[in-house]
Amino acid sequence: MTTNKRGFAQEVWDFFCSLRLSIFLLIGLALVSIIGTIIPQGQPPREYLATLSETKFRLYSSLGFFDMYHSWWFILLLYLLTLNLICCSIKRLPRVWKVVSEPVLEMDENFEKSLPNVKDLKLKGTKEELKERMASFLSAEFAAPVITEKNGAYHLFAQKSPWCRLGVYVVHFSIIVIFVGALIGSFFGYKGYVSIPEGGAISQVQTQSGKMINLGYEVRCEKFSVTFYDTGAPKEFKSILTVVDNGKPVPGLTSRPIIVNDPLTYKGTTFYQSSYGQSDEGALYHLTVRDRKGGAPVQLTARQGERVALPGGAFLSVMEATMDVRPFLKGFDGPGAQVEFTPAGGNPQPFVILSDKYESFNAQHGGDLLITFNGMDQKFYTGLQVAHDPGVWVVWAGCFLMVVGICMAFFMSHKRVWARVTESGVTLGGSASKNPAGFEICFDDLVEKINKA
């Protein structure tokens, strides 16, 4: 019974120490992170429903794709990776630590056979003189040696960068630190979304869980602008924001422009440009109406949904409008509006009207009236993702440690040189933990300098 229990425990231990598990978890995290990159995170449902069907929306929502980095299965992958790194480090670190802290100081004949680089040097002088000569040479050309005496021979040992062998464990530790920082941000921070109309301001943020967070200051949208490609797709959208704290604009954060990848940060909270849309608040639509039989045109101004009286007893309501119809009507450009026209004594007729550039298009509807859309005093709302992450500095510390660990692991090498001094001469040996070909050149250079000295 005891043997079976130990066997099962050993299997569990080996599983979490497995390199295959590490590779599987890293590939899994990379693949699911692609989902979080493709699918925008933390937006309100209306943003998703604008591009997804209701079925896909429900499926993605149930799988946690809209807040993937807080989903239980993503957190589980991170926990498993952390446990895997800890187990691997515990299993392999003692052996590496012994190499670093308790190096082999004597190069006997058996150890000599395991070294890739060995040279017998025929040097003149007594054993004492050769010991002093080699100690001085290694100190000047390589590193200060440790000198021991055994079985009538002097052994000199010198090494460079022994701690670089711990680089991989520094990387392991850095990943754990980054994970801890992410957990701090997850438990003590929040993410949310706000929309601010031009000229409006907000002082609260609704998190993804529906909780209202009081910022303690106001963020005001002074202006919003958007530019388009020739295809009608948005090229750049920019918000001009002002932070007002204690009733006064914050210096340096007054009329501060933010665009995608250039957020605004204040008191640990960051506002990212995320989306935009047309605001219905205060928008005015401008139309021209004239009788087909002649007469002076009439200029009209309307608000969305407002029922405006037309000449001859007809009525017109503007349902929605845009300053560029290219994304909606192929072959057309300029402003356009979806209207509802009600002739005198008739039923409502919905249709689209464009600018006077397309008079023949506009002439298809309107009865005795020719109606054109001249544009609108357009206002936008800016959509901002809001994030407060108190663990961000822990994450940055982990990133710094990772860079240090990677430099230790990949760009540094533990180089060791042994010298055995006897009455018959000097035997020099050496090895390196990485880049053996490069160390061989370095070793041959040391041999050549010793012979010339």
Side-chain angles (χ1 to χ4, degrees), residues 37-99:
T37 303
I38 296 175
I39 300 178
Q41 302 289 292
Q43 293 188 353
R46 66 178 182 181
E47 298 288 337
Y48 296 116
L49 289 171
T51 55
L52 296 174
S53 66
E54 188 173 348
T55 302
K56 285 186 177 180
F57 174 79
R58 289 179 179 177
L59 175 62
Y60 292 173
S61 181
S62 63
L63 294 174
F65 286 173
F66 299 137
D67 190 19
M68 194 192 69
Y69 301 113
H70 293 86
S71 62
W72 67 268
W73 51 269
F74 188 84
I75 297 296
L76 178 61
L77 286 175
L78 292 178
Y79 274 123
L80 289 174
L81 178 62
T82 302
L83 186 58
N84 175 242
L85 291 175
I86 293 173
C87 291
C88 287
S89 299
I90 292 174
K91 182 177 181 179
R92 295 172 176 83
L93 181 58
R95 183 172 65 253
V96 176
W97 180 258
K98 186 173 182 179
V99 172

Side-chain angles (χ1 to χ4, degrees), residues 94-170:
R95 183 172 65 253
V96 176
W97 180 258
K98 186 173 182 179
V99 172
V100 172
S101 61
E102 301 176 15
V104 177
L105 301 179
E106 296 90 17
M107 181 179 63
D108 56 25
E109 293 182 359
N110 290 330
F111 186 69
E112 178 185 333
K113 294 177 182 179
S114 67
L115 297 177
N117 302 284
V118 177
K119 290 286 185 180
D120 290 320
L121 307 176
K122 301 298 181 181
L123 303 177
K124 296 180 180 180
T126 66
K127 185 171 66 172
E128 294 292 336
E129 290 174 343
L130 291 176
K131 179 195 73 171
E132 296 298 329
R133 179 179 170 185
M134 290 302 301
S136 176
F137 174 80
L138 289 175
S139 297
E141 299 292 337
F142 191 75
V146 176
I147 303 174
T148 56
E149 185 178 5
K150 184 178 181 181
N151 299 329
Y154 288 111
H155 296 270
L156 291 82
F157 169 73
Q159 63 180 344
K160 280 185 175 181
S161 308
W163 301 104
C164 74
R165 287 182 177 269
L166 301 177
V168 64
Y169 303 102
V170 175

Side-chain angles (χ1 to χ4, degrees), residues 70 184-193 205-209 211 213-215 217 266-271 386-390:
H70 293 86
I184 292 173
S186 177
F187 289 121
F188 301 103
Y190 61 83
K191 289 185 178 181
Y193 178 89
V205 174
Q206 185 175 16
T207 66
Q208 296 171 351
S209 62
K211 181 181 178 181
I213 301 293
N214 187 12
L215 295 174
Y217 53 87
Y266 183 63
K267 290 187 175 180
T269 302
T270 303
F271 299 84
V386 185
H388 179 72
D389 187 357

